[in-house]
Amino acid sequence: MSTPSPAPIRTAVLGFGLAGKVFHCPFVAAVPGLELTAIVQRSGDTAAAAYPTARILRSPEEAFADPNIDLIVVGTPNETHFDLASQALQAGKHVVVDKPLTTSATAARTLIDLARQYGRILAPFHNRRYDTDFLTVSKLHREGTLGRITQVVAHFDRFRPLQRAGTWKEIGGDPNGLLFDLGPHLVDQAVALFGLPARITGSVRTDRDKTDIDDAFDIVLEYDVKSANGDTRSLRYECHATMLAANASPRFRVHGTLGSYTKQGLDPQESALLGGARPPQLGSPEAWLPEAESAWGTLAVGTDLQEPIQIARNPYPSVTGDYRLFYANVRDAIRGEAPLAIPSEDGYRVIQLLELARQSSHERRTLPVTFE
């Protein structure tokens, strides 16, 4: 006698702006075991047109009050994350929160305590762990291809010299600046690879001629690592983002004792989704956006380390990115079949580091990372 399939995890996505439309609804709908039951869109009918089988709600409170909803996805402006996530947890729902988890480390700790109190999953949506470039760097690091890594330079560059109208992301205030927009992605990737750094130096700036938000930052994370002979050596991980890069820097440049890896360009998932693509069901034979060979990064490895040094430079196959894997893990964690791949503590640590980066920038000095 076959075992019956578990009931689907009925999911409501709050918001149908960029986050809900591009990063959440398509991937919830594509993961078996999750059901896109409802979408909260305060006005308009674009959500209904895109997902005709989902119920359209006009307020988050309707989703919180619905006993049939198991999982709430918060895809709303940064400043609303804490209030909506805390209400959802208190209503007995599991919660996914778009980055940043909250706009302060204190608020993040409160959310984590609430999730523990109510016995619910709280998952920060750090989806860039499932980008093709980061997965490829992770593979190289895990397999030791580059030897001991000494430097990582990660960029997330844009060219937006003029303020955009009609978006909360350009409204003044620390929660809406570039530091809390792209900073969570870049810093989370560093922490995922190497853990917490020993020291942090930040430069958070307003570079455009007219801007109401911080629109550029540089963050240097310094790690103390053991070398092969037991000495303590420094690993430098740099996180850069700007809105004034007409010529974007490489997405990743990684140097190690045996070689280097350089990767240009961003993961193709976001641009494909913005163009109307939808991911197929996870587990189906249809492929989801393997990166074209022309976009692969370059691996340069010393083949003879004695003088004269010989270096082999070749395209290195990219690991395919897949945001569906984030939601598949959330499904499994809710069912008790796997731990969260990106636990709420990771979201908390990232916000702590971003706050330290802002403090470092204000005080113009390097700060120790002393929290546990």
Side-chain angles (χ1 to χ4, degrees):
M1 184 175 178
S2 62
T3 303
S5 299
I9 297 167
R10 293 158 296 192
T11 305
V13 174
L14 310 188
F16 201 66
L18 176 67
K21 184 185 304 181
V22 173
F23 291 108
H24 295 293
C25 287
F27 295 99
V28 170
V31 173
L34 296 183
E35 176 186 280
L36 183 57
T37 306
I39 302 170
V40 174
Q41 186 180 30
R42 291 190 180 276
S43 61
D45 58 4
T46 53
Y51 297 95
T53 62
R55 288 189 291 119
I56 305 304
L57 309 178
R58 296 307 186 186
S59 73
E61 288 73 22
E62 292 178 74
F64 302 151
D66 188 339
N68 294 316
I69 299 297
D70 306 302
L71 171 64
I72 296 287
V73 177
V74 180
T76 54
N78 294 353
E79 289 184 305
T80 68
H81 287 185
F82 174 79
D83 286 343
L84 293 175
S86 60
Q87 290 179 63
L89 289 168
Q90 291 173 79
K93 314 300 186 184
H94 302 286
V95 182
V96 168
V97 187
D98 205 296
K99 55 77 193 168
L101 180 60
T102 61
T103 58
S104 75
T106 300
R109 174 51 60 197
T110 300
L111 272 191
I112 292 170
D113 291 342
L114 270 177
R116 185 177 298 113
Q117 176 185 343
Y118 286 92
R120 292 295 180 263
I121 293 296
L122 173 64
F125 187 64
H126 291 177
N127 62 305
R128 298 290 176 175
R129 288 202 199 179
Y130 297 95
D131 273 1
T132 180
D133 43 45
F134 178 72
L135 291 172
T136 305
V137 170
S138 298
K139 178 175 182 285
L140 290 167
H141 175 49
R142 184 173 61 252
E143 295 178 352
T145 306
L146 304 178
R148 176 174 54 83
I149 293 178
T150 61
Q151 184 181 32
V152 180
V153 183
H155 280 261
F156 213 129
D157 293 339
R158 293 171 170 168
F159 188 59
R160 291 176 181 163
L162 303 179
Q163 287 184 294
R164 294 176 295 162
T167 173
W168 58 266
K169 291 188 177 184
E170 293 277 8
I171 297 174
D174 290 349
N176 298 337
L178 202 63
L179 182 67
F180 268 66
D181 183 20
L182 299 181
H185 291 317
L186 291 165
V187 171
D188 176 68
Q189 290 178 337
V191 172
L193 281 174
F194 300 110
L196 291 176
R199 293 167 297 281
I200 186 170
T201 309
S203 172
V204 184
R205 306 184 304 282
T206 53
D207 282 353
R208 295 180 296 182
D209 289 334
K210 178 175 174 52
T211 186
D212 294 322
I213 59 169
D214 57 76
D215 56 22
F217 65 80
D218 305 299
I219 300 172
V220 176
L221 306 173
E222 294 179 72
Y223 292 83
D224 296 329
V225 297
K226 293 291 186 182
S227 67
N229 61 12
D231 294 338
T232 299
R233 301 293 177 87
S234 178
L235 162 62
R236 179 182 175 93
Y237 196 115
E238 302 178 21
C239 303
H240 303 278
T242 179
M243 289 188 176
L244 292 179
N247 281 330
S249 299
R251 175 67 184 87
F252 274 104
R253 191 184 299 276
V254 186
H255 299 304
T257 54
L258 298 179
S260 299
Y261 172 74
T262 303
K263 177 70 172 69
Q264 299 280 352
L266 296 174
D267 181 281
Q269 292 180 87
E270 180 177 354
S271 60
L273 292 158
L274 287 170
R278 290 273 185 91
Q281 282 282 297
L282 185 63
S284 71
E286 184 181 351
W288 171 237
L289 288 180
E291 192 169 56
E293 290 187 25
S294 60
W296 288 355
T298 299
L299 179 64
V301 176
T303 57
D304 185 348
L305 302 184
Q306 303 297 321
E307 298 290 348
I309 294 174
Q310 303 296 311
I311 299 175
R313 291 182 174 85
N314 294 291
Y316 187 78
S318 294
V319 178
T320 299
D322 193 343
Y323 300 154
R324 295 175 301 179
L325 300 178
F326 172 87
Y327 273 107
N329 173 253
V330 169
R331 173 201 63 198
D332 294 345
I334 290 174
R335 290 177 174 173
E337 297 173 356
L340 270 181
I342 308 174
S344 53
E345 288 288 343
D346 287 8
Y348 171 64
R349 295 302 191 205
V350 164
I351 294 169
Q352 285 183 301
L353 288 169
L354 294 176
E355 289 180 340
L356 278 178
R358 194 182 296 280
Q359 179 186 346
S360 167
S361 180
H362 178 73
E363 297 178 4
R364 299 179 181 271
R365 66 186 181 99
T366 298
L367 296 175
V369 177
T370 56
F371 49 83
E372 297 180 358

